[in-house]
Amino acid sequence: MTRTLALEIAVQDPAGVRIAAEVGATRVELASALALGGLTPSPATLELAVETAGAGGPEVHVLIRPRAGGFHYTEDELLVSERDVRRAIGAGAAGVVIGALDADGSLDVDAMARLRDAAGGASVTLHRAIDVTPDPVATLRTARDLGLRRVLTSGGASVAIDGIDTLRMLVAAAEGGIEVMAGSGVDAASAPALAASGVDAIHFSAKRAVREVGGVRMGSAADGVGGYEVTDLDTALAVCAALGR
């Protein structure tokens, strides 16, 4: 049987969803603040993204991450995340993207089960929290046992192409019971080799920086007036072309 490689694009707004639809992406991961690794998007952004995707567009999967930094969460943060999961599915998202670790840096099984249950049977992806656990292969098996649909991973490296050996190990360990999606620093140069590793999907952001000039004072992101990032059609097309799409 021929394996069909899925494409997922990380986007921050309805414009990104439109680009994902134009290049034929299977899914989008909707988030805010990708420069911080991604945070939970606003309810209005979620609603408009789902409307933009429509019935024939890419599935909308929503990142649920209450704050920047690590993935060991307080009870209050987990309560917020549970509500955000329910809100996302209630607004029409096809799935959610989650990750929670315990104080030792291993997957927090109880927290993950709570968030999985809040999704009410919708698709659940474990995000790159897997890459900072002591044993990504063991973490993948735990995610599979929890009934999660897929893991998003760089193979424990800063960029996925550098973790390709671990990605191959994860594909073997998955045994068809959970999907492995390669992501982090994916571009047109690295995408074909990642696809050949046996992963089920490729995840990329296809983003470019926008710098405001003219009447806007230049500053840093901390000032709130620095540049920002948008999904770029040409970058997305380049990755798709490299994959023969």
Side-chain angles (χ1 to χ4, degrees):
M1 180 180 294
T2 302
R3 181 176 61 92
T4 300
L5 183 75
L7 298 183
E8 179 178 287
I9 303 181
V11 305
Q12 301 180 100
D13 50 34
V17 175
R18 283 190 286 271
I19 289 174
E22 185 169 346
V23 304
T26 309
R27 296 184 295 272
V28 297
E29 180 192 62
L30 181 69
S32 65
L34 284 179
L36 299 177
L39 299 174
T40 306
S42 74
T45 301
L46 168 58
E47 290 169 5
L48 284 170
V50 170
E51 290 175 15
T52 300
E59 293 183 354
V60 176
H61 293 244
V62 181
L63 177 65
I64 305 299
R65 187 179 177 215
R67 57 160 171 78
F71 307 110
H72 180 47
Y73 296 119
T74 66
E75 177 63 18
D76 283 343
E77 289 167 338
L78 287 172
L79 287 171
V80 167
S81 296
E82 283 182 295
R83 294 193 182 196
D84 280 333
V85 168
R86 294 190 187 100
R87 179 186 291 272
I89 302 305
V96 292
V97 183
I98 62 172
L101 305 182
D102 62 24
D104 295 325
S106 298
L107 198 65
D108 187 332
V109 174
D110 291 339
M112 292 295 294
R114 286 172 59 179
L115 298 177
R116 175 205 62 197
D117 292 346
S123 175
V124 177
T125 300
L126 168 61
H127 59 50
R128 290 190 58 219
I130 186 176
D131 292 321
V132 294
T133 60
D135 185 345
V137 172
T139 302
L140 176 134
R141 292 188 174 117
T142 300
R144 183 188 62 197
D145 293 344
L146 281 166
L148 306 193
R149 182 72 57 85
R150 67 185 60 85
V151 295
L152 168 62
T153 173
S154 64
S158 295
V159 293
I161 194 63
D162 292 340
I164 195 165
D165 290 339
T166 300
L167 286 170
R168 293 190 185 102
M169 293 172 58
L170 291 167
V171 169
E175 298 179 337
I178 187 170
E179 297 174 17
V180 178
M181 178 164 55
S184 184
V186 176
D187 56 17
S190 61
L194 291 168
S197 71
V199 297
D200 300 284
I202 298 289
H203 168 103
F204 59 101
S205 58
K207 62 182 182 290
R208 64 178 172 85
V210 175
R211 300 292 177 186
E212 292 185 329
V213 294
V216 178
R217 175 177 68 88
M218 296 301 291
S220 69
D223 298 326
V225 295
Y228 59 97
E229 295 173 338
V230 297
T231 308
D232 181 64
L233 175 60
D234 289 340
T235 303
L237 286 171
V239 173
C240 292
L243 293 168
R245 299 298 182 99

